[in-house]
Amino acid sequence: MNILYINGPVQNGPFTIAEQPGKAAGIRAAEALNTLLGTGPAPHLWNTVTLAGDLRHRHACDIVARQEREDRAIAAKYTPGTTPAGGILTDSTPVVAALALEMTERLLLQGALTITPTTVHLCSRCGHMTGTVAHTCRACGHQASRPRTRRLLVWDRPPGTPVLARDDFHAHRARPPRHLLTIAQNIPQRLILSRTRDHGISLAPLGLDGLVLDPRAGLHIAVLAAATQSDAVQPVMTITENAAANVAAYGTLFRQHNGTRLRYALHGRIPYDDTTALQRLCDVHHVSPALRELFLAWFLPLCSLHLRAGITPAQLPSLLKFWRRAHLARPDTPRSEAPAELRHRITAGDMRWVMDVRTLSQAIPDSPTSHGSTTEPEGAS
Ligand SMILES: [Zn+2]
């Protein structure tokens, strides 16, 4: 047993974590759980192989390389002067690319993946591959495309092979949502795993010039690479249900490597953009700014792993009351580490404890450890 929670790579869009804390929910939840387990710190994972990134950087007129732009954009997401204790890993860094090529080559040798001439549609203006069905180009908006047969990395799924099963989720007594399993059953029999992108894991070493590995596969490999760096054989990737529905099929062959196996932990949305009522409530009940911050940056992310369908704004007042009660019930003697029972439950993927006042009260830290939060880093209170 060697569990490490790692966030599902967050799209490196134009925002800061302070502006959009919801984007860091998976990072914060992972950090809180690793701290309670006494493992980590895990790196923060970012997804840079995006079409949006291609478009944002395509017309850049300075000569700064794309990877450097991505790195700068990630650094700007954090409170100035802070960096994550476990570092940062993107889905296009050399260590991830090396693992991706190693895994892909092995899967090609095994015959699970093939490089197969496939008819796809290419945008007739910019050459972007729009897929097996003709539709408007997502890269440039051009409507016309032309069919062309080119060699691509494909996975022809043997009939009856599931792309997602119950044991792909790290969840104790919580069934994965049925519709997620249904979506996973209804994917095409052939999945194309190579894409036309400006940036990503180049498949040129496999003879596929101008193509990169589909980022939906790459996200899983980034988590495996992060786990390997930390000697963790059971990485648990925090991810929302929507994101899982989008990427899980592409990760089917990329969730296991050399005894390391990735599982998902689903988390719901946190209504950070709707906390006006919460602020009023904090004022009424004299909740200190530090306690409010701990509620937002530590408790709610953990809560979102239990309330996987999402936390509604209407739930915030009662959650805050519950939080205050748990905080008041903290033991007099601070514990240096979480009780064994709590670690046992986290290891088993059982998140019901966040709704148990006694257990929660023993788990509350003095301050959130997250460098991705809006608070000051460790040491401040
Ligand atoms: Zn186009």
Side-chain angles (χ1 to χ4, degrees):
M1 287 294 227
N2 185 358
I3 297 219
L4 184 68
Y5 283 85
I6 299 169
N7 70 285
V10 185
Q11 283 207 4
N12 189 17
F15 64 90
T16 68
I17 292 174
E19 287 162 359
Q20 293 193 39
K23 303 257 192 199
I27 289 175
R28 289 170 168 182
E31 218 152 44
L33 291 173
N34 289 336
T35 303
L36 291 170
L37 284 173
T39 58
H44 293 187
L45 267 51
W46 290 92
N47 165 217
T48 64
V49 187
T50 65
L51 191 57
D54 282 0
L55 299 178
R56 213 168 25 250
H57 299 294
R58 188 162 280 174
H59 301 297
C61 40
D62 58 55
I63 52 160
V64 177
R66 170 71 177 270
Q67 184 66 48
E68 199 181 326
R69 292 170 171 284
E70 297 286 349
D71 292 344
R72 283 184 188 179
I74 292 168
K77 293 201 161 40
Y78 295 87
T79 311
T82 66
T83 48
I88 284 166
L89 194 72
T90 76
D91 57 349
S92 57
T93 45
V95 64
V96 178
L99 179 59
L101 287 174
E102 184 190 331
M103 292 180 81
T104 306
E105 276 170 8
R106 187 187 293 182
L107 289 162
L108 283 167
L109 275 175
Q110 291 168 348
L113 294 178
T114 55
I115 291 176
T116 302
T118 308
T119 303
V120 284
H121 289 263
L122 302 184
C123 170
S124 47
R125 184 158 72 191
C126 77
H128 179 71
M129 196 171 89
T130 66
T132 47
V133 185
H135 58 78
T136 303
C137 175
R138 285 175 60 222
C140 77
H142 195 60
Q143 290 197 340
S145 62
R146 53 193 154 78
R148 200 185 128 194
T149 302
R150 69 185 291 184
R151 293 167 73 243
L152 296 173
L153 180 66
V154 302
W155 178 38
D156 287 316
R157 186 162 51 107
T161 311
V163 298
L164 202 54
R166 206 178 149 170
D167 68 352
D168 286 317
F169 296 89
H170 184 64
H172 179 75
R173 293 192 185 177
R175 290 172 176 278
R178 188 174 298 148
H179 79 267
L180 193 56
L181 297 179
T182 308
I183 289 170
Q185 276 163 11
N186 291 324
I187 60 143
Q189 189 265 332
R190 167 172 285 182
L191 284 187
I192 297 172
L193 293 174
S194 47
R195 300 280 149 188
T196 49
R197 289 285 164 84
D198 295 347
H199 176 70
I201 297 170
S202 169
L203 296 177
L206 304 176
L208 298 173
D209 290 346
L211 294 173
V212 302
L213 182 69
D214 191 298
R216 289 166 288 190
L219 299 182
H220 295 85
I221 300 166
V223 173
L224 288 179
T228 304
Q229 283 185 334
S230 303
D231 290 325
V233 292
Q234 292 194 49
V236 179
M237 173 176 172
T238 57
I239 189 168
T240 63
E241 199 178 308
N242 277 346
N246 284 329
V247 305
Y250 290 83
T252 309
L253 297 179
F254 297 97
R255 289 194 287 259
Q256 288 194 63
H257 181 67
N258 288 352
T260 301
R261 176 164 182 199
L262 180 161
R263 286 187 178 81
Y264 303 111
L266 297 177
H267 68 89
R269 204 182 152 276
I270 301 171
Y272 282 125
D273 44 2
D274 201 348
T275 51
T276 323
L278 186 74
Q279 184 57 56
R280 265 202 311 276
L281 213 68
C282 285
D283 295 343
V284 171
H285 293 282
H286 306 291
V287 175
S288 70
L291 196 56
R292 178 177 177 271
E293 182 55 29
L294 205 53
F295 172 78
L296 293 171
W298 186 85
F299 177 64
L300 288 185
L302 287 175
C303 222
S304 75
L305 284 166
H306 177 63
L307 303 172
R308 300 181 313 174
I311 298 167
T312 65
Q315 285 173 306
L316 289 176
S318 59
L319 287 174
L320 182 69
K321 280 181 202 157
F322 175 78
W323 167 247
R324 276 193 76 223
R325 211 146 52 86
H327 194 261
L328 286 171
R330 279 188 310 165
D332 292 335
T333 330
R335 291 167 185 263
S336 55
E337 54 179 39
E341 185 207 339
L342 178 58
R343 281 202 302 272
H344 179 74
R345 294 175 81 168
I346 295 171
T347 302
D350 179 359
M351 286 302 295
R352 290 172 298 177
W353 63 268
V354 294
M355 288 295 140
D356 176 81
V357 168
R358 192 187 64 86
T359 316
L360 177 65
S361 69
Q362 294 173 347
I364 298 173
D366 291 332
S367 67
T369 53
S370 173
H371 291 272
S373 79
T374 52
T375 53
E376 292 301 308
E378 280 179 84
S381 62

